[in-house]
């Protein structure tokens, strides 16, 4: 069964196989070499809290990031039990029942649940810590990837990623670029449960898993030239997005908005132009002129198309945010984020109408924005 799964015809073009990746005279990627990502991922998980404590927090203080004090709800075991075990957003009928049981008004129960939900929402400092950690890595990864590829012929002519396939020698720079990127994405997947939750949480998990599979598979079958191009295209915009969020939390509105516009332009160029029309064309269309299709070909490009679908999803959110905040004077807001509620908001919907009047129509007819991206906030 194992031999059938790893048969040459499944993962390689006709006439090629695993034997081509075993040459004592050429350094070629081996599965045993890739396991270095495990200690690297562990290292990231250990380094991250140290970075957030000793670098991110002082930087947040320097930039003026402040958390506003949140009102704590009064102790109420009955409401706490409902909040923890039944629902954080009780229905109208539940509110009325709870108000009778707790001997207080429905409005007081509403206010208690709002304050309790706000208690569970991540602080601005925590969001800044996460953004600064990712910003630091993505900035390093982008310029490291650029240094790895800038002198390679397939960086300028992507069809050349197939020259001498599959006996393309593995360079030390490619090895470290791959293992560090893979280790970082594994660390993100491990820590995603404790990170700030977004409305696109599931899409983020899918993205991390697809990226890990893509990096691992491209290593195994020596699609490394294409893999490095894919990673560079993704890193090109990520550090801009994270920096925009950092300035957002610091309240530097104009700086945040400017960086976000730059990020949006770079994101669209790299993810919706270069990625599909250059990279995917070189991995999906061009190979059919020199090889017959095989399962590994479909598997690799299927993962790329999955990433492209996620890019389109996030690009729609980004464009919508840009359209909303450009005519106004406020800061860009992440539509994936869970917003803090105020005590003046009513559960029956009047709060939403108040927010519309406060943040929308009284501000040139545009909804005010407050955070950032696909990765925004």
């Amino acid at each position: 069964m194992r031999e059938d799964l790893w048969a040459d015809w499944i993962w390689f073009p006709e006439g090629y196989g695993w034997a081509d990746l075993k040459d004592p005279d050429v350094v070629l990627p081996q599965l045993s070499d890739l396991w270095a990502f495990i200690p690297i991922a562990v290292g990231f998980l250990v380094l991250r809290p140290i970075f957030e404590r000793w670098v991110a927090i002082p930087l947040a203080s320097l930039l003026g990031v402040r958390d506003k004090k949140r009102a704590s709800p009064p102790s109420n075991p009955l409401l706490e039990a409902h909040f923890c075990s039944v629902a954080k957003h009780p229905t109208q009928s539940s509110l009325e029942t709870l108000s009778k049981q707790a001997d207080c008004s429905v409005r007081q129960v509403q206010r208690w649940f709002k304050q309790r939900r706000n208690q569970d929402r991540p602080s601005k400092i925590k969001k800044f810590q996460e953004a600064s950690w990712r910003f630091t890595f993505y900035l390093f990864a982008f310029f490291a990837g650029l240094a790895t590829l800038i002198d390679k012929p397939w960086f300028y002519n992507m069809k050349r990623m197939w020259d001498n396939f599959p006996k393309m020698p593995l360079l030390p720079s490619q090895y470290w670029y791959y293992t560090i990127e893979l280790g970082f994405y594994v660390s993100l997947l491990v820590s995603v449960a404790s990170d700030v939750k977004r409305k696109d949480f599931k899409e983020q998990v899918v993205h991390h898993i697809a990226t890990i599979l893509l990096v691992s598979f491209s290593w195994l079958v020596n699609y490394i030239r294409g893999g490095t191009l894919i990673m560079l295209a993704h890193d090109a915009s990520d550090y801009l997005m994270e920096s925009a969020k950092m300035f957002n939390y610091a309240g530097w509105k104009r700086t945040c908005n400017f960086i976000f516009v730059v990020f949006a332009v770079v994101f669209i160029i790299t993810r919706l132009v270069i990625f599909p029309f250059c990279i995917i064309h070189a991995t999906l269309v061009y190979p059919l002129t020199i090889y017959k299709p095989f399962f590994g070909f479909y598997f690799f490009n299927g993962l790329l198309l999955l990433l492209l679908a996620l890019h389109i999803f996030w690009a729609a959110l980004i464009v919508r945010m840009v359209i909303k905040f450009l005519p106004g004077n406020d800061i860009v807001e992440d539509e994936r984020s869970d917003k803090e509620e105020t005590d003046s908001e009513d559960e029956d919907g009047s709060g939403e109408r108040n927010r519309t009047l406060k943040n929308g129509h009284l501000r040139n007819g545009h909804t005010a924005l407050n955070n950032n991206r696909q990765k925004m906030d």
Side-chain angles (χ1 to χ4, degrees):
M1 178 64 179
R2 186 175 182 274
E3 293 180 357
D4 292 338
L5 179 63
W6 296 105
D8 291 343
W9 64 270
I10 296 178
W11 304 107
F12 291 91
E14 184 178 352
Y16 299 94
W18 297 107
D20 292 302
L21 298 180
K22 296 178 181 179
D23 189 334
D25 299 324
V26 181
V27 178
L28 297 168
Q30 303 296 322
L31 176 61
S32 57
D33 298 329
L34 194 61
W35 291 114
F37 81 87
I38 295 179
I40 291 175
V42 173
F44 278 129
L45 292 172
V46 172
L47 180 62
R48 176 174 173 174
I50 298 174
F51 174 91
E52 291 181 350
R53 172 65 181 87
W54 296 104
V55 178
I57 291 181
L59 182 59
S61 177
L62 182 65
L63 293 178
V65 181
R66 299 287 184 272
D67 282 319
K68 66 179 181 180
K69 189 174 181 180
R70 295 171 178 174
S72 300
S75 177
N76 191 311
L78 175 67
L79 300 183
E80 182 69 25
H82 188 94
F83 181 89
C84 295
S85 60
V86 181
K88 296 182 179 181
H89 293 267
T91 62
Q92 185 62 33
S93 60
S94 296
L95 287 172
E96 294 173 356
T97 301
L98 289 170
S99 69
K100 295 177 182 178
Q101 294 175 343
D103 192 25
C104 57
S105 68
V106 171
R107 182 61 181 274
Q108 288 174 320
V109 175
Q110 290 175 337
R111 183 176 294 111
W112 189 95
F113 273 91
K114 289 167 188 172
Q115 292 176 343
R116 183 64 180 84
R117 287 193 294 270
N118 286 337
Q119 287 289 305
D120 282 356
R121 291 190 172 96
S123 66
K124 192 178 293 185
I125 294 293
K126 177 173 173 56
K127 292 178 180 180
F128 183 91
Q129 289 175 299
E130 291 186 8
S132 58
W133 167 250
R134 291 191 294 263
F135 164 77
T136 302
F137 175 81
Y138 291 138
L139 182 67
F140 166 79
F142 172 69
F143 285 103
L146 193 61
T148 299
L149 288 165
I150 195 67
D151 61 340
K152 305 300 186 295
W154 56 88
F155 180 70
Y156 304 95
N157 181 3
M158 295 185 185
K159 292 180 181 179
R160 297 197 61 182
M161 71 172 68
W162 297 103
D163 289 354
N164 301 320
F165 175 81
K167 292 188 175 183
M168 300 176 291
L170 174 65
L171 304 177
S173 58
Q174 293 173 327
Y175 171 78
W176 288 111
Y177 189 32
Y178 251 73
T179 53
I180 291 174
E181 284 270 1
L182 182 58
F184 182 75
Y185 275 100
V186 169
S187 72
L188 285 184
L189 186 61
V190 172
S191 62
V192 70
S194 60
D195 287 345
V196 176
K197 294 292 189 300
R198 313 292 183 217
K199 293 178 182 178
D200 65 344
F201 173 79
K202 294 180 180 179
E203 288 83 359
Q204 286 285 356
V205 172
V206 170
H207 177 271
H208 294 339
I209 293 175
T211 300
I212 292 169
L213 288 175
L214 186 63
V215 172
S216 302
F217 175 74
S218 61
W219 174 275
L220 290 177
V221 295
N222 205 5
Y223 290 176
I224 290 178
R225 292 179 179 178
T228 52
L229 290 169
I230 294 166
M231 291 189 293
L232 183 66
H234 282 71
D235 292 335
S237 61
D238 287 345
Y239 70 93
L240 291 169
M241 175 270 301
E242 298 298 341
S243 63
K245 290 191 291 185
M246 292 167 64
F247 285 110
N248 173 21
Y249 304 139
W252 295 34
K253 300 181 180 181
R254 291 185 179 179
T255 304
C256 169
N257 289 352
F258 173 76
I259 296 177
F260 185 75
V261 171
V262 175
F263 155 72
V265 172
V266 174
F267 183 92
I268 290 172
I269 292 175
T270 56
R271 305 287 186 99
L272 299 185
V273 178
I274 295 177
F275 182 64
F277 296 107
C278 297
I279 297 178
I280 293 182
H281 182 273
T283 62
L284 179 62
V285 179
Y286 174 70
L288 294 178
T289 65
I290 52 179
Y291 305 116
K292 292 182 180 180
F294 53 100
F295 176 80
F297 167 84
Y298 293 117
F299 180 75
F300 182 71
N301 285 286
L303 291 173
L304 294 185
L305 293 175
L306 175 60
L307 290 179
L308 179 59
L310 292 172
H311 296 166
I312 295 172
F313 167 76
W314 281 315
L317 295 180
I318 292 168
V319 171
R320 187 162 61 182
M321 284 189 281
V322 170
I323 291 174
K324 284 183 177 180
F325 86 78
L326 279 178
N329 298 315
D330 217 324
I331 201 164
V332 67
E333 177 183 89
D334 188 356
E335 299 193 11
R336 308 170 314 149
S337 298
D338 192 17
K339 312 302 184 300
E340 184 166 338
E341 300 166 277
T342 63
D343 289 342
S344 62
E345 295 170 1
D346 294 331
E347 294 288 348
D348 62 5
S350 61
E352 182 62 35
R353 290 192 296 272
N354 290 338
R355 283 196 299 273
T356 301
L357 290 173
K358 180 179 178 181
N359 298 329
H361 301 302
L362 295 184
R363 294 183 179 177
N364 302 325
H366 295 277
T367 303
L369 300 166
N370 188 25
N371 290 9
N372 212 338
R373 172 187 170 174
Q374 102 222 44
K375 273 164 170 179
M376 282 299 296
D377 194 20

